[in-house]
Every structure is written in structure tokens, then in C-alpha cells.
């Protein structure tokens, strides 16, 4: 009987696991498949757009939906959404195209296609936002191949959410039989994190002018590379009709190494780099396009129509994942003199047969070139479009001309106070500095029981309260950014008047003390500084002294140290990673006028590593000034009336967002104290924000994370606020719901009914699955009750206890204690990047979440340190 029961239990558990199979990995793609259409019968290929290879890998089939182009040189586009929300990696491409019908194909990644139609004429554009070329296929050219271990990052918070396929049908005589075309590409994607991330580097001329009739015109581009090492594996060239040859090089110590050289009149696919080329910090990337103005009667400029020209050299590269940048650009020529030494091959045109020229440019003068449609859509609204460069973001650069390169921003959000944040209740001294460490924890620098008032310094800026001794509390505290629980603290008995704070990529704290006139580097667990700059308690303005330094920033790539100095000096000082003086720039503001590079208290620093720039909050001039890291050259000013007379702090996050806080208005002035969100590229204010609890008194520092969470520290209120990003549409909808309980719009009511129907359908599915899962448990309980009822009394109490114990173990497993428990939360949590929102946390055994918690991550469920002791009241 016992053997029969055991076998029965095993069968029931197997049945339970089969029930779990209703939630297969393919169900992740249900949202996608519900809105996808299968390929028609006349098209060869898979009728299943998404095919799972297991828990981590899947294939995505992207095909033209049975189209028949009507005329030669037709460009058709279609889009496919990424079928998953979490981060994934494209690791391979398989083209499906015939050289008889397709001239070339390009695959773009972006977040908003230009059309929602099944397919559309690419004259409408490819994408509305910034996009990257991920893949290119052309007749008579090799297909794009990714090296092993390399992937394009898509999805998640920062990756593309749509793929847009562009197909150029050259000669349509092959379609005389009216057959349908389903050309496209199959992507191999994986959720497994790739050690190497692929990206695109674009060298592009924006100011070349080709005089009419001139036989040879050179367009040169060159930029110093200022990031982590990258490895080049493919290149692509692009011009219009006048281009003869395009060449790209890496220049290191005066030596020119060829990346690739090609005629732009040949198929413009990505060609493999013949010999491995790596690019390191301070190398130069250079390119030359050779044009001829013969046959033209007017000047030819860079532009988006077929009668304009372009000079583009694209490089596909890969980098280590921890340093990866997906897109970089160069539109300058930083060293024109060096092109005197460019290899002679760069000046020799590559001959192209006339039939190939005809194939490339079609049969009519008005043929679309395929490189920058958005220029016309967004600017000139002209009739001829150039698609491909739109896909790689060059049209945006054209519109910006010589402005700094930056990503196009999604501005549909609003910053609001996170009212659940308990950080306002912490007992702190004057909060002078904020930063985020590599784990995204909030680091706060405060003054404990010391205050900066009118008695702190004499007229020569010498600190007058040395008798108080250093601050006896921990001045650096590390908080959980979710719930403000104390994680770590340090900095006791080191500082007199803390001011600026930053954290480098290794987690070291960099701080300034205006009383000591010094800058310090501290390890997170060190009691003594690792590096000290300046002479204690001695103000000065030479290479070895500071005068009330305000802030410090460390370049994550080079390790260079930048100090804003300060209240009584008006300069930025650069030091080497070991603390050796390198250079300085800046001067005091002239009377009545503040020019470039002039400061009236350079108060806060923000590094923009993507563009090798340093931005400074020029406090008393109420503006932001930005400079090139390598030279200190002034690049731009951002100033708005809303700033008022003072701008205290500035912070930058990758992707092009700049955050700032201003000071209290002077009597009689209207500008309020508030926070600002700006588009770094344009300087435009996107949003402003203020607290809901308490009020800003003197917001002194600001720091933001990539998810647009913002922290503001106030030196007078002795508080730290947390703000979070919310969708504007949500905020508007919430406001409307408050003001309009019932919509009068019948279309909106129809939408509501549709949502109710969806919810009802979902509810039925949930009830069905839940019922199927409960049945075996109920059967098991009935069997156990039956066995217990039938069991003879001769077993006695011990026998009953044994049976109960066994039953308890089995039931414990069924409740989720064992590996076979029903745990939808764990099933999805086992895929990295998948959010647990919407699932109850039943069990974490064997999941990544549990491992992360044991390793000491930021989980809110971890035990936290005791709260800070109340600080003594300040004088």
C-alpha cells in the first residue's frame, strides 16, 4: 500500500509540473504574437515570428509582409517590436534575400518607427527618434557578422524596442509575374549577458563645400578618442554621386593604420575590417572623403537631398560590457595639419563600372538616395529623401550643425517628489554634498554640529574656529536609495567644513573642505585619506594651494582630477590621477559683464564623459558653463531667466539630461527656488520641480541616476529630498480622473469597455489555470485523509506521528518550500532583468534574487544598520 501511495504521489507531482507547462517560455512572447501576422503561403520561411531556443535564447523573424514593388528603386520599410520587455542581445543575423530582386537591406534599432502601418514607403522615414544601424546586406557584398561573444544590446531601460527593416528594390523587372516578396532577416537573440557589446562610431563632415567644376575636393574629419579601448570589426562608407573614395584610419603616435577604404558607388554594406584594429585612449580616428565637382554648375553642400552631398564613415566596434557605449560621433577636424601625412591611397579613386553606377543610382535623376529622410521631414520638407543616415542619427547632427553631439531625448515625463522617502526624517547637519556610488547608493556629505556662518572666516579667508576641532560625527553617510536606511558611514574627526563630494568608478570618495582649503580622496572603508591636495588651513592661488575649493570630479576614463576653486579663486584646476598639477583655466568675472571662462564662484561640477566635457555651475552668474576636458576650451553657456541670479549645482546623466538647482530669489524678484531638467544638447528646460513636503531653503547640491531619480540636499533645511520620474500621460490622466469622474467622450468609453473585456478575458484564463493547479493538491489531500481514516489503530501514536511528519514534508514542498513549488515569481526572476512587479514572492530558493540578496545588494528586504544618532543641535 505504501509503495502504491508513493507512486501515486509522484504521478500527481508530475501532473502538477505539466500544469506549470501552461506558462511556457513562449508565453513571454504572447503580447507580440497577438499583434503579429503570419507570413502568407506564397512566402517561404517560418510562419512563427518568434521561436524559442530554451529559457534564454530565441529567434525573431523580420520579413517584408508579401509586397510587390511597382517601380524600380523603391524603398519599403516595416517594423517589428522587440517581443520582450527585459534586456536582450542580438548575437547573429541570417539574411533572406535574393540578389535578383533586392539591391540592399538595412536593419535599424529605435524606439518609435515612422509609421504604424504593416509596411510603408521609406519616404516617410525609418524612425522618429534616434536609431542605430544594426545590420546591412547588399548584393555583391558580404553580410554583417558579429564576432563571438559580441552582441547589440536591445530592450531594457536603454536599448531599442523596435526593429525597422528597410529594403531597396533596385530593378523591379523580376516582379513582372506579380509575385510577392518576403525578404528580410532572422535575428538570434539571447537574454544571457554578453561580455562584449557592439556599437557604432560615425565620422561625418558637416561643413564641406564642393565648388563647381573642381576636380578634387577633400573632406577631412578627425577626433581624439577619449574612452575605454574598443575593437573595430566592420566599416561602411557613404556619399552621394560626387564621392570617389572614402578612407578611415586610426592614427597613433603619428602612424596611420587603415581601418577600411571603399568606393561609395559600390554597394554600401558593412565590410569586414581586413586586419584587427584596436583603438585606445588618445588615439585619433580620422577619415577622408574625396569628391569631384566636375559636371556641377553650382556649389554643392552637405545635405539630405540627392543634389547635396554627404561624407560618412561608419565603424562597427565592440567594447567590454562594463565600459560599453552604443553610439559615438565625430564631426570635427581637430588637426588639419596631420592630413599632410595621410597615406597616398586615400587620394586614389576606386574605379567603378558604369553598370554598377546605374545599379546604384537607378534609372532616373530624381531617384531617392538612401541616407537621410528625417532632414526633410524635420526641417525643409523637401521632396527627395535620404534614408540611411536618418537611421544612424546623422540627420540629427546635420540639423544641429556644429553643436555638440547628444542623444535625442524622450521628454514625456515629469519629476515629482517621492513622498514615501523617509530621508527627510534623518538627523543631519548642513547637507553640502551628494553623490551616487557604483552600487547606486546615495552618499551624503554633511557638517554634523559645525555650521558656516559670518564668524567662520576672516577677511583673508583663514578659518577662525579651529578651536572647535574637527567634526566628531561621521560626515559621510551611505543610504539605501529606496528607503533611506543607513548602510555605511565614515569621515569622523577629519573635516571642519565639508563642501563638495563625488564618487569615482572604484567607489572612492572625493571631498572638499572649505575650512582646510583642501581636497581629499578616501576609500570607502579607510580611516585616513588616500590622497590629499592643498595645504591645511592655508588659502592660496598657486599650484599647491586652494582657497575654499567647492567641488571635485574625476574622469572615469582617464582618472584626471578636476577641482572647482572656489569661493575666493575663480578657476578650474586639473591634476593627474596621482595628484600632479596639469593645468588650470578661468578668471574672475569682469565688472558688469560675465564672459566665457569667467566665474563668480564656480560652485559645482558635472562630467559629461560621452562628450569629453566638464560643466560648471557658475553660481553668482546664474549660469552653466561647459568646457572641453582635454583643453579647458569653452564650448557653451546655458542660462535662463528662470535660474534667477544664482545657480548652485548641476548634475548630468548619460542620454543627454542635465539637472540643476538654483538659489533663493533676491527681494522683489519673481524667480522661485526650484529644480530644473534640461536637454543638454539644446539647453532647453524640459521640466521643473519643487518639494511637496517642506520647502527648499538653500538647495546646495543635486545628483541624478540614469532612471531619472533625483536627490537634492539643502544646506539650510538640513534635509535630503528624493524625486522620481513619472510619465506625463499618467500625471495628466490622474488629474483628469480627479476632475472628471466620468468621461463624456464616447471613444474613451469604448476604450474603457475594451479594457474591461481584456481584464475579463484575463480573469477567465487565470481562473482556469488556478483550477488546474489546485486539482492535484485537492486530490492529494483527499487521499491522505482517506489513508489516515483507514489506518488501523494498532500502529499507535508513534505511527500517526510518522505519517503526519511525512505528510507535512510533502505538503511543505507543495506550498513552495521545495524545488517543485509553484512559483511564477521565481520562474520569471530567473531571467535576468525581469521585474518581479505583479507577482507575489512565494519562494526565492534557487533564484537570482536570493543570490543577490545574500551577496549584499540593495534589496529592501535586507537587514539594515541602525539609524543615525541625533546630531547635537548646531549653533
Amino acid at each position: 500500500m505504501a509503495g502504491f501511495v508513493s507512486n501515486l504521489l509522484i504521478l500527481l507531482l508530475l501532473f502538477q509540473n505539466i500544469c506549470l507547462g501552461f506558462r511556457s517560455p513562449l508565453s513571454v512572447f504572447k503580447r507580440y504574437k497577438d499583434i503579429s501576422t503570419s507570413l502568407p503561403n506564397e512566402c517561404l520561411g517560418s510562419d512563427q515570428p518568434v521561436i524559442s531556443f530554451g529559457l534564454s535564447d530565441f529567434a525573431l523573424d523580420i520579413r517584408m509582409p508579401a509586397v510587390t514593388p511597382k517601380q524600380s528603386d523603391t524603398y519599403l520599410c516595416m517594423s517589428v517590436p522587440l517581443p520582450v520587455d527585459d534586456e536582450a542581445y542580438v548575437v547573429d543575423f541570417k539574411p533572406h534575400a535574393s540578389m535578383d530582386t533586392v539591391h540592399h537591406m538595412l536593419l535599424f534599432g529605435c524606439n518609435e518607427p515612422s509609421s504604424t502601418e504593416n509596411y510603408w514607403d521609406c519616404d516617410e522615414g525609418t524612425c522618429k527618434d534616434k536609431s542605430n544601424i544594426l545590420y546591412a546586406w547588399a548584393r555583391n557584398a558580404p553580410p554583417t557578422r558579429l564576432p563571438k561573444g559580441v552582441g547589440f544590446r536591445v530592450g531594457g531601460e536603454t536599448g531599442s524596442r523596435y526593429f525597422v527593416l528597410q529594403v531597396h528594390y533596385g530593378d523591379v523587372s523580376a516582379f513582372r509575374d506579380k509575385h510577392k516578396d518576403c525578404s528580410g532577416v532572422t535575428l538570434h537573440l539571447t537574454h544571457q549577458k554578453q561580455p562584449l557589446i557592439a556599437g557604432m562610431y560615425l565620422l561625418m563632415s558637416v561643413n564641406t563645400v564642393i565648388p563647381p567644376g573642381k576636380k578634387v575636393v577633400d573632406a577631412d574629419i578627425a577626433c581624439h578618442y577619449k574612452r575605454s579601448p574598443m575593437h573595430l570589426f566592420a566599416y561602411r562608407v557613404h556619399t552621394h554621386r560626387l564621392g570617389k573614395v572614402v578612407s578611415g584610419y586610426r592614427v597613433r603616435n603619428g602612424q596611420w593604420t587603415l581601418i577600411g577604404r571603399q568606393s561609395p558607388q559600390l554597394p554600401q554594406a558593412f565590410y569586414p575590417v581586413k586586419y584587427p584594429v584596436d583603438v585606445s585612449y588618445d588615439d585619433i580616428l580620422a577619415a577622408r572623403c574625396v569628391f569631384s565637382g566636375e559636371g556641377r554648375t553650382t556649389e554643392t553642400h552637405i545635405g539630405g537631398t540627392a543634389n547635396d552631398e554627404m561624407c560618412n564613415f561608419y565603424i562597427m566596434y565592440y567594447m567590454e560590457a562594463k565600459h560599453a557605449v552604443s553610439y559615438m560621433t565625430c564631426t570635427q577636424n581637430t588637426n588639419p595639419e596631420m592630413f599632410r601625412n595621410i597615406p597616398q591611397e586615400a587620394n586614389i579613386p576606386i574605379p567603378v563600372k558604369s553598370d554598377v553606377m546605374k545599379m546604384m543610382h537607378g534609372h532616373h535623376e530624381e531617384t531617392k538616395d538612401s541616407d537621410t529622410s528625417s532632414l526633410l521631414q524635420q526641417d525643409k520638407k523637401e521632396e527627395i529623401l535620404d534614408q540611411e543616415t536618418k537611421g544612424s542619427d546623422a540627420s540629427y547632427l546635420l540639423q544641429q550643425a556644429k553643436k555638440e553631439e547628444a542623444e535625442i531625448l524622450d521628454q514625456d515625463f515629469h519629476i515629482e517628489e517621492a513622498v514615501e522617502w523617509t530621508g527627510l526624517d534623518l538627523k543631519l547637519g548642513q547637507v553640502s554634498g551628494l553623490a551616487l556610488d557604483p552600487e547606486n547608493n546615495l552618499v551624503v556629505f554633511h557638517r554634523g554640529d559645525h555650521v558656516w556662518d559670518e564668524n567662520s572666516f576672516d577677511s583673508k579667508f583663514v578659518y577662525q574656529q579651529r578651536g572647535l576641532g574637527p567634526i566628531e560625527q561621521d560626515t559621510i553617510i551611505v543610504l539605501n536609495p529606496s528607503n533611506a536606511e543607513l548602510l555605511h558611514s565614515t569621515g569622523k574627526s577629519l573635516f571642519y567644513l565639508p563642501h563638495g563630494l563625488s564618487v569615482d568608478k572604484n567607489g572612492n570618495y572625493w571631498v572638499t573642505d572649505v575650512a582646510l582649503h583642501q581636497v581629499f580622496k578616501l576609500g570607502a572603508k579607510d580611516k585616513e585619506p588616500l590622497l590629499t591636495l592643498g595645504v591645511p588651513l592655508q588659502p592660496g592661488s598657486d599650484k599647491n594651494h586652494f582657497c575654499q575649493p567647492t567641488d571635485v570630479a574625476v574622469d572615469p576614463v582617464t582618472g584626471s582630477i578636476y577641482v572647482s576653486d572656489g569661493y575666493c579663486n575663480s578657476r578650474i584646476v586639473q591634476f593627474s590621477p596621482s595628484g600632479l598639477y596639469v593645468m588650470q583655466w578661468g578668471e574672475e568675472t569682469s565688472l558688469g559683464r560675465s564672459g566665457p571662462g569667467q566665474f563668480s564662484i564656480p560652485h559645482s561640477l558635472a562630467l559629461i564623459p560621452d562628450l569629453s566635457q566638464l560643466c560648471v555651475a557658475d553660481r553668482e552668474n546664474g549660469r552653466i558653463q561647459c568646457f572641453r576636458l582635454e583643453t579647458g576650451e569653452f564650448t557653451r553657456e546655458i542660462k535662463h531667466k528662470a535660474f534667477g541670479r544664482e545657480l548652485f549645482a548641476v548634475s548630468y546623466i548619460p542620454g543627454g539630461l542635465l539637472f540643476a538647482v538654483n538659489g533663493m530669489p533676491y527681494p522683489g524678484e519673481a524667480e522661485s527656488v526650484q529644480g530644473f531638467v534640461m536637454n543638454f544638447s539644446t539647453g532647453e528646460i524640459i521640466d521643473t520641480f519643487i518639494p511637496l513636503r517642506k520647502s527648499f531653503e538653500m538647495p546646495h547640491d543635486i545628483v541624478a541616476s540614469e532612471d531619472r531619480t533625483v536627490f537634492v540636499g539643502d544646506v539650510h533645511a538640513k534635509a535630503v529630498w528624493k524625486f522620481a520620474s513619472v510619465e506625463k500621460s499618467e500625471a495628466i490622466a490622474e488629474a483628469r480622473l480627479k476632475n472628471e469622474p466620468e468621461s463624456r467622450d464616447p471613444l474613451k468609453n469604448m476604450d474603457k469597455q475594451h479594457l474591461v473585456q481584456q481584464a475579463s478575458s484575463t480573469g477567465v484564463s487565470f481562473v482556469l489555470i488556478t483550477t488546474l493547479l489546485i486539482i492535484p493538491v485537492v486530490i492529494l489531500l483527499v487521499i491522505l485523509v482517506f489513508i489516515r481514516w483507514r489506518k488501523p489503530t494498532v500502529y499507535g501514536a508513534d505511527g500517526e506521528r510518522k505519517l503526519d511528519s511525512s505528510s507535512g514534508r510533502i505538503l511543505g514542498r507543495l506550498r513552495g518550500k521545495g524545488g517543485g513549488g509553484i512559483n511564477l515569481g521565481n520562474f520569471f526572476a530567473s531571467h535576468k532583468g525581469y521585474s518581479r512587479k505583479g507577482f507575489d514572492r512565494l519562494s526565492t530558493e534557487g533564484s537570482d534574487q536570493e543570490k543577490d540578496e545574500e551577496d549584499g545588494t540593495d534589496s529592501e528586504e535586507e537587514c539594515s544598520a541602525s539609524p543615525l544618532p541625533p546630531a547635537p543641535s548646531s549653533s
Side-chain angles (χ1 to χ4, degrees):
M1 182 66 181
F4 170 77
V5 171
S6 300
N7 291 333
L8 183 61
L9 290 176
I10 291 171
L11 288 173
L12 287 171
L13 290 173
L14 286 173
F15 178 69
Q16 180 187 25
N17 286 331
I18 292 171
C19 292
L20 284 174
F22 280 105
R23 188 65 175 179
S24 70
L26 277 176
S27 65
V28 175
F29 308 124
K30 183 177 185 301
R31 171 178 58 83
Y32 171 81
K33 296 180 74 174
D34 285 345
I35 63 173
S36 299
T37 56
S38 297
L39 294 173
N41 292 332
E42 60 262 40
C43 290
L44 296 175
S46 171
D47 60 354
Q48 191 176 8
V50 181
I51 302 171
S52 174
F53 297 154
L55 291 179
S56 62
D57 288 30
F58 61 97
L60 178 62
D61 211 29
I62 304 174
R63 303 286 195 99
M64 276 293 160
V67 300
T68 303
K70 301 294 192 296
Q71 61 184 25
S72 295
D73 298 304
T74 295
Y75 290 79
L76 296 181
C77 289
M78 60 86 65
S79 67
V80 171
L82 182 68
V84 293
D85 293 325
D86 48 337
E87 194 173 79
Y89 302 84
V90 181
V91 295
D92 197 12
F93 308 89
K94 182 181 179 182
H96 308 285
S98 168
M99 293 173 58
D100 297 329
T101 56
V102 175
H103 178 269
H104 76 256
M105 299 187 300
L106 290 175
L107 183 69
F108 304 93
C110 65
N111 287 319
E112 187 177 6
S114 291
S115 174
T116 57
E117 298 295 326
N118 205 19
Y119 71 95
W120 65 92
D121 191 311
C122 296
D123 282 358
E124 299 176 31
T126 50
C127 297
K128 293 181 180 179
D129 64 332
K130 183 194 79 64
S131 57
N132 257 348
I133 297 177
L134 303 179
Y135 176 77
W137 179 93
R139 57 193 300 179
N140 303 318
T144 307
R145 295 290 184 200
L146 294 180
K148 188 175 181 180
V150 175
F152 280 102
R153 187 159 40 200
V154 295
E157 295 183 358
T158 58
S160 301
R161 297 190 176 277
Y162 279 85
F163 299 105
V164 176
L165 175 68
Q166 179 198 89
V167 178
H168 174 199
Y169 297 96
D171 184 0
V172 296
S173 60
F175 288 92
R176 288 172 183 167
D177 60 355
K178 308 290 186 186
H179 76 271
K180 306 292 186 182
D181 181 67
C182 297
S183 297
V185 60
T186 299
L187 309 184
H188 179 183
L189 297 99
T190 180
H191 289 291
Q192 293 181 354
K193 289 190 177 295
Q194 297 300 292
L196 304 169
I197 303 299
M200 187 80 65
Y201 193 110
L202 169 62
L203 292 101
M204 172 182 166
S205 174
V206 297
N207 57 5
T208 297
V209 178
I210 304 169
K214 189 167 183 180
K215 189 173 182 178
V216 177
V217 177
D218 296 334
D220 296 333
I221 316 114
C223 287
H224 283 271
Y225 183 71
K226 297 291 185 180
R227 301 198 66 87
S228 297
M230 65 177 177
H231 305 271
L232 317 183
F233 65 91
Y235 72 96
R236 175 175 177 263
V237 304
H238 177 73
T239 72
H240 294 178
R241 291 175 176 272
L242 302 185
K244 302 302 181 184
V245 62
V246 181
S247 309
Y249 296 88
R250 180 204 69 192
V251 185
R252 178 182 293 171
N253 300 323
Q255 297 295 315
W256 293 69
T257 300
L258 181 68
I259 298 169
R261 173 176 173 267
Q262 189 58 276
S263 168
Q265 308 308 326
L266 290 173
Q268 294 181 17
F270 278 92
Y271 293 83
V273 174
K274 190 172 183 180
Y275 301 105
V277 178
D278 65 280
V279 180
S280 300
Y281 180 82
D282 219 25
D283 285 345
I284 297 174
L285 289 170
R288 167 169 283 182
C289 300
V290 178
F291 297 98
S292 174
E294 292 179 312
R296 292 290 174 95
T297 57
T298 59
E299 286 186 343
T300 305
H301 296 260
I302 297 295
T305 73
N307 291 323
D308 294 323
E309 265 304 334
M310 301 195 72
C311 170
N312 294 358
F313 187 82
Y314 301 86
I315 304 170
M316 269 192 184
Y317 62 85
Y318 61 84
M319 307 173 73
E320 290 185 30
K322 61 183 178 182
H323 302 305
V325 180
S326 63
Y327 190 69
M328 292 182 276
T329 55
C330 169
T331 60
Q332 313 166 43
N333 183 1
T334 57
N335 190 355
E337 292 298 316
M338 79 175 190
F339 281 89
R340 293 180 179 180
N341 301 317
I342 192 171
Q344 188 60 30
E345 64 188 357
N347 303 312
I348 302 174
I350 296 176
V352 179
K353 295 179 180 180
S354 59
D355 59 335
V356 177
M357 287 285 288
K358 184 178 180 181
M359 178 187 73
M360 284 297 297
H361 295 292
H363 310 283
H364 308 286
E365 278 299 313
E366 68 269 22
T367 297
K368 301 180 267 304
D369 194 274
S370 61
D371 233 24
T372 51
S373 64
S374 70
L375 185 70
L376 297 170
Q377 296 174 343
Q378 298 175 4
D379 261 356
K380 302 178 182 178
K381 303 296 182 183
E382 297 175 6
E383 296 179 357
I384 302 174
L385 305 174
D386 192 318
Q387 290 292 329
E388 295 168 9
T389 304
K390 158 62 183 171
S392 57
D393 204 28
S395 62
Y396 173 74
L397 296 173
L398 280 171
Q399 294 167 41
Q400 295 296 323
K402 292 185 178 180
K403 292 182 180 179
E404 299 303 327
E405 303 94 75
E407 292 186 57
I408 297 174
L409 304 170
D410 174 13
Q411 301 178 4
D412 189 26
F413 68 94
H414 176 58
I415 300 296
E416 291 184 355
E417 184 185 351
V419 294
E420 72 281 1
W421 167 253
T422 58
L424 283 178
D425 302 326
L426 293 173
K427 301 300 182 182
L428 302 170
Q430 293 182 331
V431 178
S432 62
L434 299 177
L436 295 172
D437 67 13
E439 308 301 324
N440 228 34
N441 296 315
L442 176 65
V443 185
V444 180
F445 198 28
H446 73 112
R447 296 176 183 157
D449 58 356
H450 284 203
V451 295
W452 186 354
D453 57 27
E454 65 276 7
N455 299 315
S456 298
F457 296 90
D458 65 13
S459 60
K460 295 182 179 180
F461 309 106
V462 175
Y463 186 56
Q464 298 297 295
Q465 297 173 333
R466 284 172 285 181
L468 296 175
I471 300 168
E472 292 302 321
Q473 295 88 33
D474 282 337
T475 53
I476 299 172
I477 62 172
V478 183
L479 303 175
N480 185 316
S482 299
N483 55 21
E485 291 186 17
L486 179 65
L487 303 177
H488 174 64
S489 64
T490 188
K492 179 180 179 181
S493 301
L494 289 176
F495 307 112
Y496 287 80
L497 279 182
H499 199 276
L501 165 72
S502 68
V503 181
D504 65 23
K505 65 180 182 180
N506 297 317
N508 298 306
Y509 306 135
W510 293 79
V511 298
T512 71
D513 189 311
V514 291
L516 290 170
H517 305 285
Q518 287 181 297
V519 177
F520 301 92
K521 173 186 178 181
L522 293 94
K525 298 181 180 180
D526 294 322
K527 299 293 185 180
E528 298 296 327
L530 302 175
L531 178 68
T532 302
L533 302 175
V535 180
L537 299 167
Q538 291 185 16
S541 56
D542 57 24
K543 297 178 181 180
N544 300 314
H545 290 79
F546 302 109
C547 191
Q548 296 179 343
T550 53
D551 203 4
V552 56
V554 180
D555 189 326
V557 177
T558 66
S560 295
I561 305 161
Y562 298 88
V563 179
S564 51
D565 181 35
Y567 281 92
C568 35
N569 287 329
S570 297
R571 62 178 181 168
I572 307 297
V573 190
Q574 180 185 351
F575 297 88
S576 72
S578 60
L580 298 177
Y581 174 89
V582 176
M583 67 172 179
Q584 68 180 50
W585 70 87
E587 61 182 21
E588 192 174 353
T589 299
S590 304
L591 289 175
R593 188 174 181 274
S594 53
Q598 295 184 334
F599 299 109
S600 182
I601 308 181
H603 195 258
S604 169
L605 300 177
L607 274 168
I608 294 85
D610 297 347
L611 300 174
S612 294
Q613 292 191 39
L614 179 73
C615 290
V616 184
D618 187 5
R619 188 177 115 172
E620 299 302 303
N621 285 325
R623 63 178 179 173
I624 299 168
Q625 293 192 73
C626 299
F627 306 87
R628 295 202 179 281
L629 285 174
E630 59 269 24
T631 63
E633 173 191 358
F634 173 83
T635 61
R636 65 184 308 188
E637 172 191 272
I638 300 175
K639 187 177 177 70
H640 294 281
K641 183 180 179 182
F643 288 171
R645 293 199 194 182
E646 296 178 336
L647 191 80
F648 271 73
V650 62
S651 178
Y652 174 83
I653 63 172
L657 284 179
L658 204 60
F659 297 81
V661 286
N662 66 349
M664 292 292 289
Y666 283 61
E669 294 182 347
E671 291 79 13
S672 59
V673 57
Q674 59 189 325
F676 301 89
V677 187
M678 289 162 280
N679 180 331
F680 177 76
S681 174
T682 64
E684 168 195 8
I685 295 177
I686 299 171
D687 193 20
T688 60
F689 55 94
I690 58 173
L692 300 175
R693 300 175 297 167
K694 295 188 178 181
S695 297
F696 283 151
E697 296 180 31
M698 184 184 281
H700 197 262
D701 202 7
I702 185 170
V703 66
S705 61
E706 292 191 32
D707 64 356
R708 297 169 180 164
T709 299
V710 183
F711 296 93
V712 175
D714 194 304
V715 75
H716 281 180
K718 300 180 180 180
V720 178
W721 281 271
K722 177 181 177 180
F723 299 85
S725 171
V726 298
E727 294 293 327
K728 278 186 179 176
S729 56
E730 292 178 8
I732 292 171
E734 203 172 303
R736 285 180 178 172
L737 285 172
K738 290 178 182 176
N739 297 326
E740 302 177 22
E742 188 171 343
S743 173
R744 300 177 183 177
D745 190 336
L747 291 177
K748 291 181 180 177
N749 289 332
M750 289 175 63
D751 289 342
K752 289 179 182 178
Q753 291 173 8
H754 176 66
L755 289 173
V756 170
Q757 290 173 358
Q758 281 188 326
S760 175
S761 174
T762 304
V764 171
S765 301
F766 176 77
V767 170
L768 178 62
I769 292 173
T770 303
T771 302
L772 290 172
L773 296 177
I774 290 175
I775 286 173
V777 178
V778 173
I779 293 173
L780 176 63
L781 290 174
V782 170
I783 291 172
L784 291 174
V785 170
F786 176 76
I787 292 171
R788 185 173 180 181
W789 175 68
R790 290 290 304 270
K791 185 170 283 293
T793 55
V794 294
Y795 283 99
D798 291 339
E800 288 185 10
R801 280 197 293 272
K802 288 177 183 177
L803 180 62
D804 289 348
S805 175
S806 173
S807 304
R809 285 196 298 271
I810 296 170
L811 289 174
R813 292 192 183 100
L814 289 173
R815 293 188 186 108
K817 292 285 184 181
I822 303 172
N823 190 346
L824 295 178
N826 268 356
F827 177 82
F828 286 96
S830 66
H831 302 327
K832 287 203 170 187
Y834 195 92
S835 170
R836 288 184 177 272
K837 293 179 180 177
F839 295 95
D840 291 334
R841 188 168 185 175
L842 304 180
S843 168
T844 57
E845 189 165 327
S847 75
D848 291 337
Q849 181 72 13
E850 183 183 51
K851 179 181 178 182
D852 288 343
E853 288 168 2
E854 288 173 353
D855 289 344
T857 64
D858 300 335
S859 170
E860 293 181 25
E861 298 180 15
E862 289 184 330
C863 296
S864 62
S866 57
L868 281 173
S873 58
S874 56
S875 58

